[in-house]
């Protein structure tokens, strides 16, 4: 596997860690910056905010505005919210002829050009826009290394800006649209087709759904009908954008528009990949490369079809297309440990999910759950499936990185070959299996699309910029509106009505809050409180959930009758204080002793801020150390700095604060150590690239200062081996890179 060298941590000693090379047409010189100045906009920092004396406009008063907020959140009826804004949306009709009968479909559309101009006119957003393409580099030990993260750092943005007319101010204006059907009702009988725009998750349209017809399904004409309805409907969103992409448009600081969206062709087409011309039967084979698609090629095939249906159909079949004009041609360019934001499942058999995030979380949990069940002896087919899932998780973690270098892109290419090999081995294994209904057909677009992911990252930046998973979560509020705010009739109009009200109030709330904050700071002047100063990594931990009454040190030691971790608590704590405080800079003249009634204040929550290895930003883990968290014990794991040279995984046992006479207040944790990795002891660990640790006896617990905590960690117990755990390195990109950095490639 190609090695991954995580970027070095930010260091104030390097005068210019980052280099930004702007597009030649931008007029900006190459910029060299230290870490703390990288991507900080001087315009945002120094320009005075645009203050509106009446940010609640068009409401007559702030009181009217705040009443409307409450009315919307409380789901009041129509008569109670008649003072709200009227709906600003458009309902269009799309007539389509099918079998000589004209059918009319309703489209709810907010033209995306109007939505884009709204963004440009928003004083809160204007300073945040980035217009010019750039190439960014971070210094490693010897040179600047090129990396990709935001869309404007990709080659595609650079190429588009190069292709624009050579006039002052000509820059790309790009946005990403996401459209996907979702089930509104719990039984899935009522569906919706919202169109969302990246950048706040704004609903900009609601597409019609051609009803299911058992007698027509599978027929070419009915399939064509669905294609035509979709493209004709989507056109309603792009009408103005299409016009201005040909004539140009001047508004603020841009005069052209770029609209890009990835669509999957019909999955049963001859060439279903939207990027290249891979045949349907070869989608599973990632070792082969096929020619890329082009818009001109598709247009020419449709032109031939209109001139000669027979010849055109042959060309369209080769391309895996239908004889429908693409709307975008009008634009010229269970038992798993709990963890925050991780979906948990009580049952997954015979259950379907409409949110791709649930499938992603399920794949992580199913892999670890199956390690001791789907062994090569128990099931050759199951074991080979685990091999596929293992390399899938490796790929998913690599692709999900927010910053990519040549090293990470090479690692993706290398892992793709591993995935290809394991998938072929699984198919071969299943072909000779006696087990019924195992999946043999892996020729579907999502399998093949990974073939183009490195190209996409180079062109458009990190995958999170155009990942659809965040938008799938946005279906939740729409479903809530369906359940609580509609009468189950004409649901699209009712849902969009409420969505518009919520969005309008959100924009007004942002303006009101900005004015309130401005006025607050004006009153404070130079007396700015500490909470208005950015938190530094020196004070990166904070305890919470304090227990109301403190415990004596003797009471804590008596807990050893039910938990051996508290055995000799009094003695161990006394020795720890006397040996560690001098290392923390405190001069001790006498051995400190503690009376039996010495008071210790327990806390059951710990907030840990840390710097991400992937993009050098701050992240936060929320850790619990609670014997009764909603009726169940919850003791999280963490990664700590045990010594200058050693990091180690631990389990939280007890968080506390104490005061020592003449020295002040201190915060400590009682923890259970997990020994260094023992991968060599388990063949499975080496095979699946697992990190295994083993818990020391509870009686061997130790004290550590809270500042030694690096971040939280998710560890899964191995039911086959007592006190042994597997580190879930796929829980996030930071943990993935930390584990990669510690394991030889």
């Amino acid at each position: 596997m190609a090695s991954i060298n995580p970027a070095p941590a930010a260091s104030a000693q390097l005068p210019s860690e980052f280099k930004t090379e702007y597009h030649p047409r931008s007029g900006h010189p190459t910029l060299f910056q230290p870490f703390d100045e990288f991507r900080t906009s001087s315009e945002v920092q120094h320009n005075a905010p645009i203050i509106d004396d009446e940010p609640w406009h068009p409401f007559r008063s702030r009181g009217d505005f705040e009443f409307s907020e409450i009315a919307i959140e409380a789901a009041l009826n129509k008569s109670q919210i008649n003072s709200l804004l009227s709906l600003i949306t458009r309902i269009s009709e799309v007539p389509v002829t099918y079998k000589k009968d004209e059918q009319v479909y309703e489209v709810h559309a907010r033209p995306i050009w109007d939505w884009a101009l709204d963004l440009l006119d928003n004083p809160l957003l204007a300073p945040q826009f980035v217009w010019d393409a750039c190439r960014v580099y971070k210094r490693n030990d010897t040179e600047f290394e090129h990396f990709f993260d935001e869309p404007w750092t990709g080659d595609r943005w650079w190429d588009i800006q190069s292709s624009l007319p050579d006039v002052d101010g000509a820059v790309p204006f790009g946005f990403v649209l996401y459209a996907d059907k979702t089930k509104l009702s719990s039984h899935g009988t009522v569906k919706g087709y919202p169109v969302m725009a990246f950048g706040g998750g704004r609903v900009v349209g609601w597409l019609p759904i051609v009803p299911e017809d058992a007698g027509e399904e599978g027929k070419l004409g009915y399939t064509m009908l669905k294609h035509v309805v979709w493209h004709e409907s989507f056109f309603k969103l792009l009408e103005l954008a299409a016009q201005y992409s040909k004539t140009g448009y001047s508004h603020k600081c841009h005069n052209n528009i770029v609209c890009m969206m990835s669509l999957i062709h019909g999955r049963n087409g001859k060439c279903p990949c939207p990027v290249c011309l891979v045949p349907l039967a070869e989608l599973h084979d990632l070792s082969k490369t096929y020619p890329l698609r082009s818009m001109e090629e598709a247009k020419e095939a449709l032109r031939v079809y209109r001139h000669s249906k027979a010849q055109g159909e042959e060309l369209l079949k080769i391309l895996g297309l239908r004889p429908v004009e693409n709307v975008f041609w009008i634009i010229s360019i269970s038992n798993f440990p709990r963890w925050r934001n991780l979906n948990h499942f009580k049952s997954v058999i015979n259950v379907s999910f409409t949110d791709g995030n649930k499938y992603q979380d399920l794949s992580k949990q199913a892999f670890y759950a199956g390690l001791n069940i789907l062994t090569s002896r128990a099931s050759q087919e199951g074991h080979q499936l685990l091999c596929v899932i293992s390399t899938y998780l490796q790929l998913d973690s690599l692709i999900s990185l927010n910053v990519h270098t040549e090293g990470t892109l090479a690692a993706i290419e290398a892992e793709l070959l591993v995935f290809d090999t394991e998938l072929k081995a699984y198919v071969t294994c299943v072909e000779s299996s006696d087990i019924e209904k195992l999946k043999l057909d892996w020729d579907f677009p999502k399998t093949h699309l990974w073939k183009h992911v490195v190209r996409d990252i180079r062109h458009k930046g990190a995958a999170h910029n155009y990942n659809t998973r965040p938008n799938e979560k946005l279906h939740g509020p729409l479903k809530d509106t369906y359940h609580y705010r509609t009468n189950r009739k004409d649901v699209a109009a009712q849902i969009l009505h409420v969505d518009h009200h919520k969005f309008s109030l959100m924009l007004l709330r942002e303006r009101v809050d900005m004015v309130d904050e401005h006025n607050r700071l004006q009153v404070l002047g130079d007396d700015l409180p500490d909470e208005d100063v950015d938190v530094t990594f020196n004070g990166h931990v904070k305890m919470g959930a304090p227990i109301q009454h403190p415990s004596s040190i003797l009471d804590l030691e008596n807990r050893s009758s039910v938990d051996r971790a508290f055995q000799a608590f009094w003695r161990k704590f006394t020795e720890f204080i006397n040996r560690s405080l001098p290392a923390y800079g405190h001069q001790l003249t006498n051995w400190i002793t503690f009376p039996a009634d010495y008071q210790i204040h327990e806390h059951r929550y710990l907030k840990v801020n840390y710097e991400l290895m992937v993009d050098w930003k701050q992240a936060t883990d929320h850790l619990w150390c609670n014997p009764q968290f909603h009726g169940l014990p919850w003791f999280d794991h963490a990664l700590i700095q045990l010594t200058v040279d050693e990091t180690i995984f631990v389990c939280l046992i007890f968080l506390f604060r104490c005061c020592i006479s003449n020295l002040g207040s201190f915060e400590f944790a009682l923890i259970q150590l997990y020994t260094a990795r023992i991968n060599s002891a388990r063949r499975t660990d080496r095979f699946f690239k697992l990190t295994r640790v083993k818990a020391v006896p509870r009686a061997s617990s130790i004290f550590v200062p809270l500042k030694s905590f690096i971040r939280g960690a998710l560890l899964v117990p191995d039911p086959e081996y007592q006190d042994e755990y597997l580190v879930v390195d796929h829980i996030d990109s930071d943990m993935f890179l930390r584990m990669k950095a510690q394991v030889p490639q």
Side-chain angles (χ1 to χ4, degrees):
M1 175 179 175
S3 63
I4 305 174
N5 298 316
S11 170
Q13 281 69 42
L14 292 176
S16 53
E17 292 179 82
F18 291 90
K19 180 176 79 170
T20 303
E21 178 184 311
Y22 289 97
H23 193 280
R25 292 186 179 180
S26 69
H28 301 304
T30 298
L31 192 61
F32 295 87
Q33 295 172 296
F35 174 80
D36 57 356
E37 294 180 8
F38 180 59
R39 284 191 176 147
T40 56
S41 169
S42 58
E43 179 182 352
V44 175
Q45 288 178 339
H46 299 116
N47 283 4
I50 302 173
I51 300 301
D52 186 352
D53 292 335
E54 296 183 348
W56 46 79
H57 184 77
F59 290 95
R60 291 177 298 177
S61 67
R62 179 168 182 155
D64 286 349
F65 160 65
E66 291 182 342
F67 168 78
S68 300
E69 276 191 308
I70 296 172
I72 287 293
E73 290 300 320
L76 303 180
N77 59 41
K78 184 176 180 180
S79 64
Q80 294 170 313
I81 59 173
N82 56 15
S83 62
L84 291 176
L85 299 171
S86 60
L87 180 67
I88 306 174
T89 190
R90 302 181 186 180
I91 301 178
S92 304
E93 291 185 343
V94 174
V96 179
T97 301
Y98 180 62
K99 291 186 174 180
K100 299 182 180 181
D101 292 330
E102 185 175 83
Q103 302 180 9
V104 177
Y105 296 89
E106 255 189 14
V107 183
H108 299 256
R110 175 185 298 277
I112 57 172
W113 191 257
D114 294 345
W115 170 78
L117 297 186
D118 286 344
L119 295 180
L120 294 175
D121 290 335
N122 189 321
L124 297 179
L125 296 178
Q128 312 299 329
F129 282 109
V130 176
W131 299 109
D132 291 298
C134 62
R135 291 170 177 158
V136 286
Y137 306 80
K138 191 178 191 302
R139 185 189 295 276
N140 56 28
D141 294 336
T142 58
E143 60 184 0
F144 281 105
E145 183 176 19
H146 187 192
F147 67 86
F148 304 86
D149 56 350
E150 302 292 352
W152 50 87
T153 68
D155 294 341
R156 181 61 174 155
W157 198 298
W158 188 283
D159 293 341
I160 290 171
Q161 189 162 352
S162 299
S163 68
L164 296 177
D166 191 9
V167 296
D168 291 339
V171 294
F173 183 37
F175 44 88
V176 181
L177 299 178
Y178 163 77
D180 192 18
K181 282 188 289 189
T182 185
K183 298 175 182 177
L184 297 174
S185 63
S186 56
H187 297 290
T189 54
V190 181
K191 299 178 182 179
Y193 209 144
V195 182
M196 296 183 177
F198 273 50
R202 180 71 172 108
V203 178
V204 295
W206 195 281
L207 303 180
I209 299 176
V210 178
E212 301 294 331
D213 188 332
E216 298 292 328
E217 283 297 329
K219 295 182 180 179
L220 177 61
Y222 203 66
T223 303
M224 287 281 296
L225 171 67
K226 293 181 178 180
H227 283 72
V228 172
V229 169
W230 195 97
H231 285 274
E232 290 293 329
S233 301
F234 213 100
F235 171 76
K236 300 299 180 182
L237 278 76
L238 305 179
E239 282 181 300
L240 287 178
Q243 174 186 335
Y244 294 135
S245 71
K246 297 178 176 65
T247 64
Y249 188 90
S250 178
H251 182 86
K252 301 286 184 180
C253 52
H254 67 270
N255 65 358
N256 211 330
I257 183 169
V258 180
C259 179
M260 293 175 288
M261 176 180 177
S262 293
L263 283 179
I264 294 178
H265 295 62
R267 62 160 293 175
N268 293 319
K270 298 292 184 182
C271 300
C273 176
V275 180
C276 75
L277 296 173
V278 55
L280 172 63
E282 298 294 330
L283 284 172
H284 70 282
D285 193 342
L286 302 183
S287 64
K288 299 178 182 178
T289 301
Y290 294 88
L292 299 179
R293 291 183 178 275
S294 71
M295 183 172 65
E296 291 73 20
E297 191 175 44
K299 282 184 174 181
E300 175 60 20
L302 188 58
R303 188 194 65 79
V304 173
Y305 176 84
R306 288 169 176 166
H307 180 72
S308 171
K309 186 174 180 180
Q311 294 180 6
E313 282 183 343
E314 286 301 314
L315 287 175
L316 291 169
K317 283 182 180 179
I318 293 174
L319 298 175
L321 299 176
R322 299 290 185 184
V324 179
E325 187 167 311
N326 191 319
V327 64
F328 295 100
W329 292 348
I330 66 177
I331 306 297
S332 297
I333 311 287
S334 126
N335 277 333
F336 207 77
R338 287 171 289 184
W339 188 253
R340 187 181 178 89
N341 297 325
L342 179 71
N343 289 297
H344 289 77
F345 308 92
K346 293 182 179 179
S347 174
V348 296
I349 304 298
N350 297 324
V351 178
S352 63
F353 304 106
T354 58
D355 183 354
N357 297 286
K358 289 185 171 63
Y359 285 112
Q360 184 186 37
D361 290 346
L362 181 59
S363 66
K364 298 173 184 177
Q365 298 173 48
F367 172 69
Y368 290 95
L371 285 172
N372 293 322
I373 301 173
L374 300 177
T375 63
S376 57
R377 290 184 178 180
S379 169
Q380 190 63 43
E381 300 88 347
H383 183 73
Q384 188 56 47
L385 179 60
L386 276 185
C387 295
V388 176
I389 297 175
S390 174
T391 182
Y392 161 81
L393 291 174
Q394 292 287 327
L395 266 177
D396 187 62
S397 294
L398 282 167
I399 294 169
S400 298
L401 296 176
N402 288 348
V403 173
H404 282 281
T405 64
E406 293 300 331
T408 61
L409 295 180
I412 292 174
E413 296 277 21
E415 192 64 36
L416 275 171
L417 297 179
V418 177
F419 179 80
D420 180 64
T421 300
E422 297 295 350
L423 182 57
K424 289 175 180 175
Y426 174 76
V427 172
T428 301
C429 180
V430 169
E431 285 176 338
S432 59
S433 174
D434 296 330
I435 303 176
E436 297 181 356
K437 297 183 179 180
L438 292 180
K439 186 172 181 61
L440 274 170
D441 180 13
W442 289 79
D443 291 317
F444 52 91
K446 287 186 178 180
T447 301
H448 174 79
L449 280 175
W450 271 354
K451 177 73 177 178
H452 307 293
V453 71
V454 170
R455 172 181 175 272
D456 280 345
I457 291 170
R458 290 186 183 278
H459 281 200
K460 296 177 285 188
H464 73 90
N465 295 310
Y466 37 90
N467 193 332
T468 63
R469 286 172 184 160
N471 287 280
E472 291 181 350
K473 289 185 177 180
L474 297 176
H475 287 167
L478 300 178
K479 296 176 183 179
D480 290 341
T481 300
Y482 167 78
H483 284 290
Y484 304 119
R485 303 294 302 276
T486 73
N487 60 6
R488 309 297 198 271
K489 300 175 183 178
D490 189 24
V491 295
Q494 296 180 69
I495 290 173
L496 292 173
H497 190 106
V498 173
D499 179 75
H500 174 75
H501 283 173
K502 287 183 177 180
F503 185 74
S504 301
L505 292 172
M506 181 193 73
L507 292 178
L508 293 176
R509 169 51 62 190
E510 288 178 350
R511 299 190 181 202
V512 170
D513 288 346
M514 182 185 71
V515 172
D516 288 346
E517 178 67 7
H518 174 75
N519 293 336
R520 185 181 75 88
L521 296 178
Q522 289 289 100
V523 171
L524 290 172
D526 296 332
D527 300 326
L528 200 64
D530 292 340
E531 60 264 24
D532 290 291
V533 180
D534 289 339
V535 176
T536 66
F537 282 104
N538 291 329
H540 69 290
V541 292
K542 182 179 180 180
M543 288 196 300
I547 298 303
Q548 185 175 3
H549 301 291
S551 301
S552 71
I553 196 169
L554 180 59
D555 289 338
L556 292 174
E557 182 159 321
N558 289 336
R559 293 187 186 182
S560 61
S561 61
V562 293
D563 186 352
R564 296 191 64 193
F566 290 90
Q567 184 175 308
F569 184 96
W570 192 349
R571 175 183 58 79
K572 289 196 297 187
F573 180 69
T574 302
E575 293 176 352
F576 167 75
I577 290 296
N578 284 278
R579 291 173 179 172
S580 63
L581 288 189
Y584 304 149
H586 297 280
Q587 298 299 321
L588 302 182
T589 56
N590 299 300
W591 184 266
I592 299 176
T593 60
F594 300 97
D597 60 352
Y598 178 72
Q599 300 294 289
I600 288 179
H601 301 265
E602 180 183 358
H603 291 254
R604 294 183 173 179
Y605 164 78
L606 182 65
K607 178 179 179 181
V608 184
N609 294 329
Y610 59 98
E611 182 181 323
L612 293 169
M613 293 185 69
V614 63
D615 59 7
W616 320 288
K617 296 178 182 178
Q618 179 175 295
T620 301
D621 279 341
H622 303 265
L623 308 181
W624 291 97
C625 181
N626 194 332
Q628 284 293 320
F629 187 82
H630 295 291
L632 295 172
W634 188 336
F635 295 92
D636 275 317
H637 297 91
L639 180 67
I640 70 166
Q641 193 75 44
L642 186 63
T643 66
V644 174
D645 301 318
E646 182 183 7
T647 61
I648 193 168
F649 289 100
V650 301
C651 179
L652 301 183
I653 298 174
F654 185 70
L655 302 172
F656 64 98
R657 172 177 54 83
C658 62
C659 291
I660 301 177
S661 298
N662 302 321
L663 293 178
S665 179
F666 295 87
E667 296 177 341
F668 300 112
L670 180 67
I671 51 114
Q672 181 181 17
L673 293 174
Y674 284 24
T675 58
R677 292 175 301 278
I678 50 176
N679 290 13
S680 58
R682 304 278 180 262
R683 178 177 176 274
T684 300
D685 300 346
R686 297 193 302 272
F687 188 80
F688 288 116
K689 303 174 185 177
L690 304 174
T691 300
R692 179 183 295 270
V693 293
K694 185 172 183 177
V696 303
R698 295 280 288 183
S700 299
S701 60
I702 66 170
F703 295 95
V704 294
L706 286 191
K707 65 180 183 180
S708 66
F709 279 70
I710 298 174
R711 58 153 297 164
L714 182 62
L715 274 62
V716 179
D718 186 338
E720 196 164 314
Y721 299 97
Q722 186 176 2
D723 295 331
E724 293 189 12
Y725 294 78
L726 298 173
V727 179
V728 183
D729 52 353
H730 302 291
I731 194 62
D732 57 48
S733 296
D734 181 79
M735 184 60 76
F736 178 72
L737 287 183
R738 289 181 191 272
M739 293 298 98
K740 286 292 181 187
Q742 294 183 32
V743 178
Q745 303 297 318

